[in-house]
PDB file of all heavy atoms in Angstrom:
ATOM      1  N   SER R   1       4.186  35.125  66.194  1.00 98.00           N
ATOM      2  CA  SER R   1       4.388  33.961  67.078  1.00 98.00           C
ATOM      3  C   SER R   1       4.791  34.406  68.483  1.00 98.00           C
ATOM      4  O   SER R   1       5.761  33.902  69.061  1.00 98.00           O
ATOM      5  CB  SER R   1       5.465  33.034  66.488  1.00 98.00           C
ATOM      6  OG  SER R   1       5.108  32.589  65.202  1.00 98.00           O
ATOM      7  N   LEU R   2       4.046  35.334  69.004  1.00 98.00           N
ATOM      8  CA  LEU R   2       4.383  35.904  70.309  1.00 98.00           C
ATOM      9  C   LEU R   2       4.272  34.866  71.417  1.00 98.00           C
ATOM     10  O   LEU R   2       3.411  33.972  71.379  1.00 98.00           O
ATOM     11  CB  LEU R   2       3.493  37.100  70.605  1.00 98.00           C
ATOM     12  CG  LEU R   2       3.900  38.382  69.870  1.00 98.00           C
ATOM     13  CD1 LEU R   2       2.752  39.371  69.803  1.00 98.00           C
ATOM     14  CD2 LEU R   2       5.111  39.005  70.547  1.00 98.00           C
ATOM     15  N   LYS R   3       5.159  35.012  72.387  1.00 98.00           N
ATOM     16  CA  LYS R   3       5.229  34.104  73.525  1.00 98.00           C
ATOM     17  C   LYS R   3       5.020  34.896  74.821  1.00 98.00           C
ATOM     18  O   LYS R   3       5.301  36.104  74.856  1.00 98.00           O
ATOM     19  CB  LYS R   3       6.598  33.428  73.580  1.00 98.00           C
ATOM     20  CG  LYS R   3       6.984  32.679  72.312  1.00 98.00           C
ATOM     21  CD  LYS R   3       8.403  32.142  72.427  1.00 98.00           C
ATOM     22  CE  LYS R   3       8.809  31.399  71.157  1.00 98.00           C
ATOM     23  NZ  LYS R   3      10.195  30.872  71.254  1.00 98.00           N
ATOM     24  N   PRO R   4       4.578  34.235  75.880  1.00 98.00           N
ATOM     25  CA  PRO R   4       4.416  34.962  77.150  1.00 98.00           C
ATOM     26  C   PRO R   4       5.695  35.659  77.604  1.00 98.00           C
ATOM     27  O   PRO R   4       5.637  36.740  78.212  1.00 98.00           O
ATOM     28  CB  PRO R   4       4.007  33.849  78.121  1.00 98.00           C
ATOM     29  CG  PRO R   4       3.298  32.858  77.270  1.00 98.00           C
ATOM     30  CD  PRO R   4       4.042  32.873  75.955  1.00 98.00           C
ATOM     31  N   GLU R   5       6.846  35.083  77.283  1.00 97.00           N
ATOM     32  CA  GLU R   5       8.111  35.704  77.688  1.00 97.00           C
ATOM     33  C   GLU R   5       8.447  36.964  76.894  1.00 97.00           C
ATOM     34  O   GLU R   5       9.422  37.650  77.202  1.00 97.00           O
ATOM     35  CB  GLU R   5       9.271  34.703  77.596  1.00 97.00           C
ATOM     36  CG  GLU R   5       9.375  33.970  76.274  1.00 97.00           C
ATOM     37  CD  GLU R   5       8.712  32.598  76.320  1.00 97.00           C
ATOM     38  OE1 GLU R   5       7.583  32.488  76.875  1.00 97.00           O
ATOM     39  OE2 GLU R   5       9.318  31.648  75.778  1.00 97.00           O
ATOM     40  N   ASP R   6       7.650  37.278  75.890  1.00 98.00           N
ATOM     41  CA  ASP R   6       7.815  38.550  75.163  1.00 98.00           C
ATOM     42  C   ASP R   6       7.120  39.698  75.889  1.00 98.00           C
ATOM     43  O   ASP R   6       7.251  40.855  75.487  1.00 98.00           O
ATOM     44  CB  ASP R   6       7.239  38.438  73.749  1.00 98.00           C
ATOM     45  CG  ASP R   6       7.999  37.455  72.882  1.00 98.00           C
ATOM     46  OD1 ASP R   6       9.245  37.456  72.932  1.00 98.00           O
ATOM     47  OD2 ASP R   6       7.335  36.695  72.136  1.00 98.00           O
ATOM     48  N   THR R   7       6.385  39.389  76.936  1.00 98.00           N
ATOM     49  CA  THR R   7       5.699  40.425  77.700  1.00 98.00           C
ATOM     50  C   THR R   7       6.700  41.409  78.290  1.00 98.00           C
ATOM     51  O   THR R   7       7.638  41.022  78.982  1.00 98.00           O
ATOM     52  CB  THR R   7       4.863  39.791  78.830  1.00 98.00           C
ATOM     53  OG1 THR R   7       3.823  38.993  78.251  1.00 98.00           O
ATOM     54  CG2 THR R   7       4.245  40.866  79.726  1.00 98.00           C
ATOM     55  N   ALA R   8       6.502  42.697  78.002  1.00 98.00           N
ATOM     56  CA  ALA R   8       7.421  43.737  78.453  1.00 98.00           C
ATOM     57  C   ALA R   8       6.897  45.093  78.001  1.00 98.00           C
ATOM     58  O   ALA R   8       5.948  45.177  77.215  1.00 98.00           O
ATOM     59  CB  ALA R   8       8.821  43.508  77.873  1.00 98.00           C
ATOM     60  N   VAL R   9       7.557  46.123  78.483  1.00 98.00           N
ATOM     61  CA  VAL R   9       7.358  47.458  77.912  1.00 98.00           C
ATOM     62  C   VAL R   9       8.391  47.616  76.802  1.00 98.00           C
ATOM     63  O   VAL R   9       9.589  47.389  77.027  1.00 98.00           O
ATOM     64  CB  VAL R   9       7.532  48.561  78.975  1.00 98.00           C
ATOM     65  CG1 VAL R   9       7.367  49.933  78.330  1.00 98.00           C
ATOM     66  CG2 VAL R   9       6.528  48.378  80.103  1.00 98.00           C
ATOM     67  N   TYR R  10       7.921  47.968  75.623  1.00 98.00           N
ATOM     68  CA  TYR R  10       8.787  48.117  74.461  1.00 98.00           C
ATOM     69  C   TYR R  10       9.059  49.602  74.219  1.00 98.00           C
ATOM     70  O   TYR R  10       8.123  50.414  74.184  1.00 98.00           O
ATOM     71  CB  TYR R  10       8.131  47.480  73.237  1.00 98.00           C
ATOM     72  CG  TYR R  10       8.209  45.976  73.261  1.00 98.00           C
ATOM     73  CD1 TYR R  10       7.475  45.240  74.179  1.00 98.00           C
ATOM     74  CD2 TYR R  10       9.031  45.284  72.378  1.00 98.00           C
ATOM     75  CE1 TYR R  10       7.566  43.856  74.218  1.00 98.00           C
ATOM     76  CE2 TYR R  10       9.125  43.898  72.412  1.00 98.00           C
ATOM     77  CZ  TYR R  10       8.394  43.195  73.343  1.00 98.00           C
ATOM     78  OH  TYR R  10       8.490  41.826  73.396  1.00 98.00           O
ATOM     79  N   TYR R  11      10.348  49.920  74.038  1.00 98.00           N
ATOM     80  CA  TYR R  11      10.782  51.294  73.852  1.00 98.00           C
ATOM     81  C   TYR R  11      11.423  51.474  72.484  1.00 98.00           C
ATOM     82  O   TYR R  11      12.289  50.687  72.080  1.00 98.00           O
ATOM     83  CB  TYR R  11      11.804  51.686  74.912  1.00 98.00           C
ATOM     84  CG  TYR R  11      11.280  51.688  76.326  1.00 98.00           C
ATOM     85  CD1 TYR R  11      11.365  50.545  77.113  1.00 98.00           C
ATOM     86  CD2 TYR R  11      10.698  52.831  76.870  1.00 98.00           C
ATOM     87  CE1 TYR R  11      10.889  50.533  78.415  1.00 98.00           C
ATOM     88  CE2 TYR R  11      10.215  52.834  78.174  1.00 98.00           C
ATOM     89  CZ  TYR R  11      10.318  51.676  78.934  1.00 98.00           C
ATOM     90  OH  TYR R  11       9.841  51.682  80.222  1.00 98.00           O
ATOM     91  N   CYS R  12      11.019  52.538  71.822  1.00 97.00           N
ATOM     92  CA  CYS R  12      11.650  52.928  70.574  1.00 97.00           C
ATOM     93  C   CYS R  12      12.921  53.719  70.898  1.00 97.00           C
ATOM     94  O   CYS R  12      12.946  54.494  71.866  1.00 97.00           O
ATOM     95  CB  CYS R  12      10.667  53.789  69.787  1.00 97.00           C
ATOM     96  SG  CYS R  12      11.327  54.598  68.343  1.00 97.00           S
ATOM     97  N   ASN R  13      13.951  53.540  70.089  1.00 96.00           N
ATOM     98  CA  ASN R  13      15.210  54.253  70.278  1.00 96.00           C
ATOM     99  C   ASN R  13      15.699  54.797  68.943  1.00 96.00           C
ATOM    100  O   ASN R  13      15.660  54.102  67.932  1.00 96.00           O
ATOM    101  CB  ASN R  13      16.255  53.304  70.874  1.00 96.00           C
ATOM    102  CG  ASN R  13      17.627  53.944  70.952  1.00 96.00           C
ATOM    103  OD1 ASN R  13      18.484  53.693  70.122  1.00 96.00           O
ATOM    104  ND2 ASN R  13      17.832  54.769  71.962  1.00 96.00           N
ATOM    105  N   VAL R  14      16.134  56.049  68.965  1.00 95.00           N
ATOM    106  CA  VAL R  14      16.699  56.688  67.775  1.00 95.00           C
ATOM    107  C   VAL R  14      18.076  57.234  68.134  1.00 95.00           C
ATOM    108  O   VAL R  14      18.214  57.960  69.120  1.00 95.00           O
ATOM    109  CB  VAL R  14      15.798  57.826  67.268  1.00 95.00           C
ATOM    110  CG1 VAL R  14      16.500  58.588  66.154  1.00 95.00           C
ATOM    111  CG2 VAL R  14      14.467  57.273  66.772  1.00 95.00           C
ATOM    112  N   LYS R  15      19.064  56.866  67.340  1.00 93.00           N
ATOM    113  CA  LYS R  15      20.439  57.309  67.593  1.00 93.00           C
ATOM    114  C   LYS R  15      20.880  58.273  66.502  1.00 93.00           C
ATOM    115  O   LYS R  15      20.788  57.973  65.311  1.00 93.00           O
ATOM    116  CB  LYS R  15      21.386  56.110  67.620  1.00 93.00           C
ATOM    117  CG  LYS R  15      21.094  55.099  68.701  1.00 93.00           C
ATOM    118  CD  LYS R  15      22.135  53.992  68.707  1.00 93.00           C
ATOM    119  CE  LYS R  15      21.765  52.867  69.668  1.00 93.00           C
ATOM    120  NZ  LYS R  15      21.659  53.336  71.060  1.00 93.00           N
ATOM    121  N   THR R  16      21.361  59.440  66.925  1.00 92.00           N
ATOM    122  CA  THR R  16      22.051  60.330  66.023  1.00 92.00           C
ATOM    123  C   THR R  16      23.525  60.335  66.432  1.00 92.00           C
ATOM    124  O   THR R  16      23.900  59.655  67.386  1.00 92.00           O
ATOM    125  CB  THR R  16      21.481  61.749  66.100  1.00 92.00           C
ATOM    126  OG1 THR R  16      21.801  62.317  67.387  1.00 92.00           O
ATOM    127  CG2 THR R  16      19.961  61.744  65.926  1.00 92.00           C
ATOM    128  N   GLY R  17      24.349  61.117  65.771  1.00 84.00           N
ATOM    129  CA  GLY R  17      25.747  61.147  66.171  1.00 84.00           C
ATOM    130  C   GLY R  17      25.941  61.754  67.547  1.00 84.00           C
ATOM    131  O   GLY R  17      26.891  61.419  68.254  1.00 84.00           O
ATOM    132  N   ALA R  18      25.022  62.624  67.940  1.00 85.00           N
ATOM    133  CA  ALA R  18      25.187  63.359  69.182  1.00 85.00           C
ATOM    134  C   ALA R  18      24.286  62.860  70.309  1.00 85.00           C
ATOM    135  O   ALA R  18      24.674  62.923  71.479  1.00 85.00           O
ATOM    136  CB  ALA R  18      24.915  64.840  68.944  1.00 85.00           C
ATOM    137  N   TYR R  19      23.118  62.385  69.982  1.00 90.00           N
ATOM    138  CA  TYR R  19      22.138  62.068  71.010  1.00 90.00           C
ATOM    139  C   TYR R  19      21.468  60.731  70.776  1.00 90.00           C
ATOM    140  O   TYR R  19      21.405  60.208  69.667  1.00 90.00           O
ATOM    141  CB  TYR R  19      21.043  63.152  71.048  1.00 90.00           C
ATOM    142  CG  TYR R  19      21.562  64.537  71.349  1.00 90.00           C
ATOM    143  CD1 TYR R  19      21.686  65.472  70.319  1.00 90.00           C
ATOM    144  CD2 TYR R  19      21.939  64.915  72.631  1.00 90.00           C
ATOM    145  CE1 TYR R  19      22.169  66.740  70.566  1.00 90.00           C
ATOM    146  CE2 TYR R  19      22.419  66.182  72.885  1.00 90.00           C
ATOM    147  CZ  TYR R  19      22.530  67.092  71.852  1.00 90.00           C
ATOM    148  OH  TYR R  19      23.012  68.348  72.100  1.00 90.00           O
ATOM    149  N   ASP R  20      20.951  60.217  71.904  1.00 93.00           N
ATOM    150  CA  ASP R  20      20.083  59.036  71.920  1.00 93.00           C
ATOM    151  C   ASP R  20      18.701  59.506  72.357  1.00 93.00           C
ATOM    152  O   ASP R  20      18.583  60.169  73.398  1.00 93.00           O
ATOM    153  CB  ASP R  20      20.597  58.039  72.963  1.00 93.00           C
ATOM    154  CG  ASP R  20      21.088  56.763  72.348  1.00 93.00           C
ATOM    155  OD1 ASP R  20      21.380  56.766  71.141  1.00 93.00           O
ATOM    156  OD2 ASP R  20      21.159  55.747  73.064  1.00 93.00           O
ATOM    157  N   TYR R  21      17.680  59.139  71.613  1.00 95.00           N
ATOM    158  CA  TYR R  21      16.323  59.519  71.969  1.00 95.00           C
ATOM    159  C   TYR R  21      15.502  58.265  72.260  1.00 95.00           C
ATOM    160  O   TYR R  21      15.682  57.229  71.604  1.00 95.00           O
ATOM    161  CB  TYR R  21      15.665  60.305  70.833  1.00 95.00           C
ATOM    162  CG  TYR R  21      16.369  61.588  70.486  1.00 95.00           C
ATOM    163  CD1 TYR R  21      17.237  61.647  69.402  1.00 95.00           C
ATOM    164  CD2 TYR R  21      16.169  62.750  71.237  1.00 95.00           C
ATOM    165  CE1 TYR R  21      17.890  62.830  69.075  1.00 95.00           C
ATOM    166  CE2 TYR R  21      16.812  63.929  70.910  1.00 95.00           C
ATOM    167  CZ  TYR R  21      17.675  63.969  69.837  1.00 95.00           C
ATOM    168  OH  TYR R  21      18.327  65.131  69.518  1.00 95.00           O
ATOM    169  N   TRP R  22      14.584  58.403  73.241  1.00 96.00           N
ATOM    170  CA  TRP R  22      13.751  57.272  73.652  1.00 96.00           C
ATOM    171  C   TRP R  22      12.275  57.632  73.600  1.00 96.00           C
ATOM    172  O   TRP R  22      11.886  58.759  73.939  1.00 96.00           O
ATOM    173  CB  TRP R  22      14.100  56.844  75.077  1.00 96.00           C
ATOM    174  CG  TRP R  22      15.466  56.256  75.203  1.00 96.00           C
ATOM    175  CD1 TRP R  22      16.621  56.911  75.479  1.00 96.00           C
ATOM    176  CD2 TRP R  22      15.819  54.876  75.020  1.00 96.00           C
ATOM    177  NE1 TRP R  22      17.681  56.028  75.500  1.00 96.00           N
ATOM    178  CE2 TRP R  22      17.213  54.773  75.223  1.00 96.00           C
ATOM    179  CE3 TRP R  22      15.110  53.716  74.720  1.00 96.00           C
ATOM    180  CZ2 TRP R  22      17.907  53.562  75.127  1.00 96.00           C
ATOM    181  CZ3 TRP R  22      15.786  52.515  74.636  1.00 96.00           C
ATOM    182  CH2 TRP R  22      17.164  52.445  74.834  1.00 96.00           C
ATOM    183  N   GLY R  23      11.459  56.661  73.212  1.00 95.00           N
ATOM    184  CA  GLY R  23      10.032  56.815  73.303  1.00 95.00           C
ATOM    185  C   GLY R  23       9.553  56.580  74.727  1.00 95.00           C
ATOM    186  O   GLY R  23      10.329  56.209  75.602  1.00 95.00           O
ATOM    187  N   GLN R  24       8.266  56.786  74.938  1.00 95.00           N
ATOM    188  CA  GLN R  24       7.708  56.674  76.280  1.00 95.00           C
ATOM    189  C   GLN R  24       7.438  55.231  76.672  1.00 95.00           C
ATOM    190  O   GLN R  24       7.214  54.932  77.850  1.00 95.00           O
ATOM    191  CB  GLN R  24       6.397  57.485  76.378  1.00 95.00           C
ATOM    192  CG  GLN R  24       5.160  56.804  75.794  1.00 95.00           C
ATOM    193  CD  GLN R  24       5.091  56.851  74.275  1.00 95.00           C
ATOM    194  OE1 GLN R  24       5.987  57.382  73.605  1.00 95.00           O
ATOM    195  NE2 GLN R  24       4.024  56.294  73.724  1.00 95.00           N
ATOM    196  N   GLY R  25       7.456  54.338  75.713  1.00 96.00           N
ATOM    197  CA  GLY R  25       7.227  52.931  75.994  1.00 96.00           C
ATOM    198  C   GLY R  25       5.793  52.521  75.728  1.00 96.00           C
ATOM    199  O   GLY R  25       4.864  53.295  75.957  1.00 96.00           O
ATOM    200  N   THR R  26       5.624  51.311  75.236  1.00 97.00           N
ATOM    201  CA  THR R  26       4.296  50.766  75.010  1.00 97.00           C
ATOM    202  C   THR R  26       4.257  49.340  75.555  1.00 97.00           C
ATOM    203  O   THR R  26       5.180  48.563  75.325  1.00 97.00           O
ATOM    204  CB  THR R  26       3.915  50.811  73.513  1.00 97.00           C
ATOM    205  OG1 THR R  26       2.568  50.373  73.344  1.00 97.00           O
ATOM    206  CG2 THR R  26       4.833  49.951  72.652  1.00 97.00           C
ATOM    207  N   GLN R  27       3.214  49.021  76.282  1.00 98.00           N
ATOM    208  CA  GLN R  27       3.109  47.722  76.938  1.00 98.00           C
ATOM    209  C   GLN R  27       2.658  46.657  75.947  1.00 98.00           C
ATOM    210  O   GLN R  27       1.671  46.838  75.225  1.00 98.00           O
ATOM    211  CB  GLN R  27       2.128  47.779  78.102  1.00 98.00           C
ATOM    212  CG  GLN R  27       1.902  46.456  78.818  1.00 98.00           C
ATOM    213  CD  GLN R  27       3.116  46.008  79.617  1.00 98.00           C
ATOM    214  OE1 GLN R  27       3.730  46.814  80.328  1.00 98.00           O
ATOM    215  NE2 GLN R  27       3.461  44.732  79.508  1.00 98.00           N
ATOM    216  N   VAL R  28       3.375  45.555  75.950  1.00 98.00           N
ATOM    217  CA  VAL R  28       2.978  44.364  75.198  1.00 98.00           C
ATOM    218  C   VAL R  28       2.796  43.232  76.209  1.00 98.00           C
ATOM    219  O   VAL R  28       3.722  42.918  76.960  1.00 98.00           O
ATOM    220  CB  VAL R  28       4.033  43.975  74.152  1.00 98.00           C
ATOM    221  CG1 VAL R  28       3.696  42.614  73.537  1.00 98.00           C
ATOM    222  CG2 VAL R  28       4.123  45.033  73.069  1.00 98.00           C
ATOM    223  N   THR R  29       1.606  42.667  76.237  1.00 98.00           N
ATOM    224  CA  THR R  29       1.314  41.578  77.158  1.00 98.00           C
ATOM    225  C   THR R  29       0.830  40.372  76.361  1.00 98.00           C
ATOM    226  O   THR R  29      -0.113  40.489  75.573  1.00 98.00           O
ATOM    227  CB  THR R  29       0.234  41.983  78.176  1.00 98.00           C
ATOM    228  OG1 THR R  29       0.676  43.140  78.893  1.00 98.00           O
ATOM    229  CG2 THR R  29      -0.021  40.850  79.160  1.00 98.00           C
TER     230      THR R  29
END
């Protein structure tokens, strides 16, 4: 049920005890 306001770059995030990791981002329009 996607809406126009969901348009954004979506980033994956992984948290360990020591570090935060990020993906490069994927565009959703």
Side-chain angles (χ1 to χ4, degrees):
S1 301
L2 282 160
K3 304 175 181 180
E5 51 263 44
D6 294 318
T7 295
V9 178
Y10 284 70
Y11 296 91
C12 170
N13 174 259
V14 172
K15 298 184 187 299
T16 68
Y19 300 104
D20 246 19
Y21 299 99
W22 293 91
Q24 79 283 1
T26 185
Q27 178 70 45
V28 171
T29 302

